[in-house]
């Protein structure tokens, strides 16, 4: 026979206590969320109403981090989504302190980006960070993404041993298109430079990668032959992304709307290049929240609202606190193939 809660005083009391607990738990979690000092990351220990501690299973580890230590650049790509809003660069010892904090929090791969990372101190600042990450922190993977225009052979001689991967951005093999995009400085050939760097990578045993942004200016191009000839370890192909405050909206330094392509057109580009085995595609959806981005102040940038909202700096509040404001989508990071063989020692490349 069934009996209702109302008919059993004992059950009635249990029901009231449990309801009260649920209300208190809900109020407590909201206070934690809205009070900055109390807000906990998905990695942190969340105090429960009965005094126990619940270790979240969804702990965010900064396995792979992109540090945009400078925003300055010598190129003027019209679609750029990380623009020169400040000229700030941390002092070397502070940047190294932050990198050490990240390593202690579980970082395995660091990627240095910008702006143009070879611009500051003619690449020496970058070289010292690369050296520190490999030799002192012993990171499995140290990489750079660059437009390639400022790299000298001397840099490879000095720092090449400590670099696993060098990605050079190239959106077109037609110089006129590169000029239209702004992926150039003066009349220098971006493509000739790409070939020169590819050869240095081979000579100095650095894995060579290419990044391309697919946009209205290059979407009809067939790059198959050129990419197969250059034979990078990975060819990242991005659908041009809009970020409010960077390349869209009133405050932005770039207006990238005229570069944006539809998902369908992006898919057609991918199909045309299906014969390139190293192609790794990234649609807007895959790209938006699947990168852990640190800006020039070592603040994580949250792109969930379509703009880059900064956390506090890891130098002030630590990694655990700052990363809870990163908006990082770890599942998408794995779906887009963010974790791969990223140490050159494990790549079995023929040099
Ligand atoms: C911001 S750049 C900084 C590094 C370097 N200056 C370069 O261009 O390689 C990092 C990467 O983001 C890509 N990128 C820039 N703007 C983009 C956009 N709107 N959508 C997708 N990728 C973009 C660049 O092509 C490059 O591969
Ligand atoms: S995408 Fe172009 S403008 Fe933006 S940082 Fe890289 S080279 Fe400079």
């Amino acid at each position: 026979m069934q009996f209702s809660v109302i008919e059993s005083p004992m059950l009635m009391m249990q029901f009231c206590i449990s309801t009260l607990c649920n209300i208190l738990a809900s109020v407590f979690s909201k206070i934690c969320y809205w009070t900055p000092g109390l807000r906990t990351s998905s990695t942190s220990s969340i105090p429960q109403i009965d005094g126990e501690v619940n270790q979240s299973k969804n702990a965010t580890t900064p396995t792979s981090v992109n540090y945009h230590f400078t925003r300055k650049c010598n190129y003027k790509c019209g679609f750029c989504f990380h623009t020169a809003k400040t000229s700030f660069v941390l002092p070397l010892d502070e940047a190294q302190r932050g990198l050490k904090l990240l390593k202690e929090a579980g970082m395995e791969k660091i990627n240095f980006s910008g702006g143009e990372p070879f611009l500051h101190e003619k690449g020496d600042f970058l070289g010292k960070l690369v050296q520190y990450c490999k030799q002192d922190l012993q990171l499995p993977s140290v990489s750079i993404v660059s437009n390639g225009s400022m790299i000298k052979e001397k840099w490879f001689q000095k720092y090449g041993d400590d670099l696993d991967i060098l990605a050079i951005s190239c959106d077109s093999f037609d110089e006129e298109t590169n000029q239209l995009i702004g992926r150039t400085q003066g009349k220098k050939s971006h493509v000739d430079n790409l070939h020169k760097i590819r050869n240095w990578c081979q000579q100095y045993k650095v894995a060579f990668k290419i990044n391309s942004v697919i946009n209205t200016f290059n979407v009809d191009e067939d790059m198959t032959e050129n990419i197969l000839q250059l034979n990078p370890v990975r060819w990242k192909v991005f659908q041009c992304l809009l970020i409010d405050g960077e390349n869209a909206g009133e405050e932005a330094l770039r207006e990238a709307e005229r570069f944006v392509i539809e998902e369908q057109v992006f898919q057609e580009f991918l199909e045309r290049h299906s014969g390139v085995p190293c192609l790794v595609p990234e649609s807007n959806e895959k790209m938006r929240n699947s990168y852990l981005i640190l800006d020039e102040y070592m603040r994580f940038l949250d792109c969930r609202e379509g703009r880059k909202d900064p956390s506090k700096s890891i130098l002030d509040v630590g990694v655990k606190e700052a990363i809870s404001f990163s908006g990082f989508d770890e599942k998408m990071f794995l779906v887009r193939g963010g974790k791969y063989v990223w140490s050159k020692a494990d790549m079995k490349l023929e040099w």
Side-chain angles (χ1 to χ4, degrees):
M1 192 177 96
Q2 280 190 334
F3 51 80
S4 78
V5 171
I6 313 293
E7 284 162 349
S8 160
M10 196 56 196
L11 278 179
M12 181 69 180
M13 206 159 79
Q14 278 177 6
F15 176 72
C16 288
I17 290 169
S18 131
T19 307
L20 191 65
C21 282
N22 285 340
I23 291 168
L24 282 173
S26 158
V27 169
F28 185 78
S29 72
K30 282 199 171 64
I31 291 170
C32 282
Y33 184 83
W34 291 113
T35 311
L38 287 175
R39 186 169 171 180
T40 50
S41 74
S42 55
T43 62
S44 62
S45 309
I46 302 169
Q48 299 297 288
I49 208 75
D50 58 4
E52 277 185 31
V53 164
N54 170 31
Q55 286 290 344
S56 168
K57 280 187 190 135
N58 300 321
T60 303
T61 305
T63 312
S64 176
V65 177
N66 297 276
Y67 176 26
H68 297 244
F69 64 83
T70 179
R71 282 180 171 270
K72 284 175 78 178
C73 187
N74 58 325
Y75 273 21
K76 291 188 176 62
C77 308
F79 52 63
C80 183
F81 63 15
H82 205 81
T83 53
K85 297 198 312 189
T86 80
S87 57
F88 182 81
V89 178
L90 277 170
L92 184 67
D93 58 344
E94 277 297 86
Q96 288 173 335
R97 181 166 77 84
L99 290 164
K100 188 156 184 260
L101 292 175
L102 288 160
K103 159 81 197 230
E104 285 160 2
M107 177 169 70
E108 291 172 33
K109 179 179 191 289
I110 182 76
N111 180 49
F112 295 108
S113 186
E116 176 45 46
F118 281 90
L119 204 54
H120 190 57
E121 294 175 4
K122 295 187 174 151
D124 255 346
F125 184 86
L126 172 66
K128 284 172 192 161
L129 291 181
V130 164
Q131 216 164 43
Y132 177 75
C133 285
K134 192 49 101 178
Q135 293 183 14
D136 296 59
L137 300 183
Q138 306 257 303
L139 287 185
S141 184
V142 180
S143 68
I144 299 171
V145 55
S146 161
N147 65 31
S149 64
M150 309 287 293
I151 309 179
K152 303 271 180 286
E153 188 172 6
K154 256 191 187 162
W155 193 94
F156 280 94
Q157 291 164 346
K158 210 166 166 189
Y159 303 112
D161 271 358
D162 293 322
L163 183 65
D164 289 277
I165 306 167
L166 177 60
I168 303 295
S169 298
C170 179
D171 317 307
S172 174
F173 290 89
D174 175 51
E175 291 298 359
E176 226 172 279
T177 308
N178 284 327
Q179 293 280 345
L180 286 171
I181 289 172
R183 176 79 79 193
T184 183
Q185 191 183 23
K187 290 276 171 236
K188 281 189 218 159
S189 162
H190 189 73
V191 179
D192 287 352
N193 201 43
L194 181 73
H195 280 270
K196 189 170 71 181
I197 293 170
R198 188 244 176 229
N199 293 340
W200 282 338
C201 281
Q202 201 158 27
Q203 190 180 341
Y204 294 98
K205 300 183 176 19
V206 174
F208 174 69
K209 183 177 156 185
I210 299 176
N211 284 5
S212 301
V213 179
I214 310 311
N215 61 81
T216 46
F217 291 85
N218 63 4
V219 70
D220 294 325
E221 213 171 306
D222 189 341
M223 306 184 190
T224 307
E225 227 176 276
N226 287 292
I227 297 291
L228 290 177
Q229 192 198 347
L230 284 157
N231 193 23
V233 290
R234 262 163 101 80
W235 179 34
K236 277 273 193 97
V237 176
F238 305 119
Q239 181 186 3
C240 183
L241 181 67
L242 285 184
I243 301 276
D244 206 51
E246 293 282 354
N247 60 9
E250 276 179 18
E251 313 260 291
L253 297 178
R254 295 281 197 283
E255 286 175 14
E257 281 88 352
R258 68 198 172 100
F259 289 89
V260 171
I261 55 165
E262 296 289 328
E263 171 75 28
Q264 175 60 28
V265 189
F266 181 59
Q267 288 306 327
E268 282 163 21
F269 181 91
L270 297 179
E271 275 159 34
R272 197 179 315 129
H273 293 86
S274 57
V276 182
C278 60
L279 191 158
V280 181
E282 271 180 40
S283 61
N284 285 178
E285 192 206 352
K286 272 194 191 162
M287 192 179 194
R288 191 172 281 109
N289 306 316
S290 68
Y291 284 83
L292 270 174
I293 308 168
L294 272 185
D295 76 356
E296 65 276 23
Y297 302 101
M298 287 198 152
R299 305 178 302 183
F300 284 109
L301 298 179
D302 178 351
C303 300
R304 279 176 301 183
E305 299 299 325
R307 44 176 200 265
K308 288 179 170 172
D309 292 324
S311 70
K312 287 182 181 159
S313 172
I314 62 168
L315 298 169
D316 296 330
V317 298
V319 175
K320 206 172 178 182
E321 161 83 10
I323 210 169
S324 67
F325 292 86
S326 67
F328 179 57
D329 183 343
E330 205 163 11
K331 276 194 199 115
M332 193 53 99
F333 164 73
L334 295 171
V335 166
R336 74 160 165 83
K339 206 148 192 231
Y340 59 100
V341 180
W342 51 33
S343 299
K344 64 179 171 184
D346 300 331
M347 282 183 201
K348 297 185 181 67
L349 294 169
E350 287 174 20
W351 303 109

